[in-house]
Amino acid sequence: MLSILILLPLLGAALIAFVPGITPKVSRTVALSVAVISFLWTLVLASQFDLFEVNRQFKEFIPWIDALGLNYQIGIDGLSLPLLILNALLTAIAVYSSDTGISRSRLYYSLLLLLNVGVTGAFLSQDLLLFFLFYELELIPLYLLIAIWGGERRGYAATKFLIYTAVSGILVLASFLGLVWLSGASSFGLEGIQTSSIPLATQILLLAGILIGFGIKMPLVPLHTWLPDAHVEASTPISVLLAGVLLKLGTYGILRFGMYLLPEAWTYLGPWLATWAVISVLYGASCAIAQKDMKKMVAYSSVAHMGYILLGAAAATPLSILGTVMQMISHGLISALLFLLVGIVYKKAGSRDLDVVQGLLNPERGLPLIGSLMVLGVMASAGIPGMVGFISEFVVFRASYEVFPIQTLLSMIGTGLTAAYFLILMSKAFFGRLSEQVTNLPRVYWSDRMPAIVLAVLIVIFGIQPNWLARWTEATTNAMMSGQNPIVNVSFNN
């Protein structure tokens, strides 16, 4: 059942790329159909998912390369299922939101589907080497999507992304190889790796490689500098995928392969990780305040919100890990909404500069509905009650405070800074008199609004009823904190 989520987009990409005579309209239709079917299939899987089963479900195993210990081994649990659904949803939205007249459409849509294959495969993989192969697979499509369809400095941004991500892959692979060899495992299968016999100093070294490797992907300060450039130069659909899904490969990686496989080292480094989280939160929020470009402001907001995820992971209690997963999903929905709306503003007004774009909430000549959705999006990002951003941050702070009270209180300052920089964005871009530079704005059609409305509805629904989100993950996060994982039983005062 799970292989369908990999094979279907792969076949769709091949059909678009290699079948002669495919028109731009047909290529878009095929890509959208494949993306929608994949999303619906994830919902089918969710309907059959056992909420109380802590082991991987729908497992598939095919022997592959015995000499390397590599097998095609996939499955899902409460950690990967929500991310899988989020990836499928945002891929469908990215395809739908792409310009109908985009150049080289066959290449563009095939790359979008290949990107989906890489991310989906990574979330499904239960083999470290298989995860790495999918983790690297998404690198080339995303590089090309930025380099070909990006802005004026797309070459610089794409190359910078490529270099950073290549370093990330090297560190992750080296750590994976060390985990398997030093643990004495016979294969790269996740379930067969036991690290309790590895000396603590060696565990810390392996964990450092995992943290830096996936920290680049998240990204965390000071490994973040590729992200603002990539977002600013990428087209709107690619920014949606980049912020909504691709950053979650990093957060997923530190939970699945760092915290779970190396619990003793994780415990030892926990206070330092919490401090690192504070630095990312405050630095990202401070940089966001200084921005004039709306898109770069939202990009730095992502850097800050990744710090909340690291804080919850560092605390490593069942509740904090549950909050971490909820924060991953909430950030995916909220950041995707914000980038969609900024993209519409840029498309209609021709600028993202806060000194140029003003008064867009004007009901007659502005973008009133887009402005209203932007109000909802920034309120959700700032943690206003009633929206999914509030409950996910609240759970992270509530659980982390018991373990790291000082770091949690400092991180909570970030929520105030989030409100500050988004208030600057709203007051300059949407309130006040409509600026002369953006008069006579083109009409925004419902086809442009619908993806943003869908995301806004989900943000409110999960904010009002967060259990609809948490219930998929709770059993898994509780299991991750028990058994071989001693984190919650270790005193940080030793």
Side-chain angles (χ1 to χ4, degrees), residues 228 232 284-301 342 345-346 349-358 360 374 420-430:
V232 169
S286 299
C287 288
I289 291 177
Q291 302 308 313
K292 295 293 186 181
D293 187 314
M294 297 170 65
K295 200 172 188 182
K296 186 171 283 191
M297 182 181 287
V298 177
Y300 275 110
S301 173
V342 171
V345 170
Y346 182 66
S351 176
R352 299 188 300 260
D353 192 329
L354 293 178
D355 292 333
V356 175
V357 181
Q358 299 172 7
L360 293 180
M374 180 65 80
Y421 60 71
F422 277 139
L423 181 61
I424 292 173
L425 184 150
M426 293 303 302
S427 63
K428 287 191 173 183
F430 291 93

Side-chain angles (χ1 to χ4, degrees), residues 123-317:
F123 288 145
L124 292 177
S125 296
Q126 300 302 312
D127 183 286
L128 270 65
L129 194 53
L130 184 65
F131 171 89
F132 174 76
L133 294 177
F134 282 115
Y135 183 75
E136 291 294 285
L137 175 62
E138 54 83 24
L139 171 61
I140 298 303
L142 186 58
Y143 167 79
L144 293 175
L145 287 166
I146 297 174
I148 298 176
W149 293 276
E152 293 181 1
R153 300 176 69 245
R154 57 186 180 272
Y156 169 78
T159 302
K160 193 173 183 179
F161 161 79
L162 183 66
I163 294 172
Y164 271 79
T165 308
V167 173
S168 169
I170 292 171
L171 292 171
V172 169
L173 178 60
S175 299
F176 283 180
L177 294 175
L179 279 171
V180 173
W181 292 339
L182 295 174
S183 67
S186 59
S187 71
F188 284 87
L190 186 62
E191 296 178 352
I193 297 177
Q194 299 292 331
T195 60
S196 56
S197 61
I198 302 176
L200 177 59
T202 305
Q203 287 190 39
I204 292 174
L205 183 61
L206 294 172
L207 181 58
I210 290 174
L211 287 171
I212 297 174
F214 288 121
I216 292 173
K217 196 72 171 184
M218 287 176 63
L220 298 168
V221 175
L223 311 172
H224 69 288
T225 58
W226 64 270
L227 183 67
D229 292 316
H231 269 308
V232 169
E233 301 306 323
S235 62
T236 297
I238 306 309
S239 286
V240 168
L241 291 176
L242 181 57
V245 177
L246 292 168
L247 303 188
K248 308 309 178 293
L249 286 174
T251 58
Y252 175 83
I254 65 169
L255 292 178
R256 178 73 79 193
F257 307 111
M259 184 196 71
Y260 183 69
L261 291 181
L262 297 164
E264 188 178 356
W266 190 272
T267 302
Y268 184 85
L269 294 179
W272 298 101
L273 297 179
T275 303
W276 193 3
V278 173
I279 294 172
S280 287
V281 169
L282 297 182
Y283 182 86
S286 299
C287 288
I289 291 177
Q291 302 308 313
K292 295 293 186 181
D293 187 314
M294 297 170 65
K295 200 172 188 182
K296 186 171 283 191
M297 182 181 287
V298 177
Y300 275 110
S301 173
S302 290
V303 175
H305 282 80
M306 290 299 102
Y308 298 143
I309 293 175
L310 182 61
L311 177 66
T317 68

Side-chain angles (χ1 to χ4, degrees), residues 318-340:
L319 184 60
S320 75
I321 301 304
L322 176 62
T324 295
V325 178
M326 294 177 67
Q327 176 67 12
M328 291 161 65
I329 302 302
S330 71
H331 175 264
L333 296 173
I334 295 169
S335 62
L337 172 62
L338 293 176
F339 278 115
L340 275 176

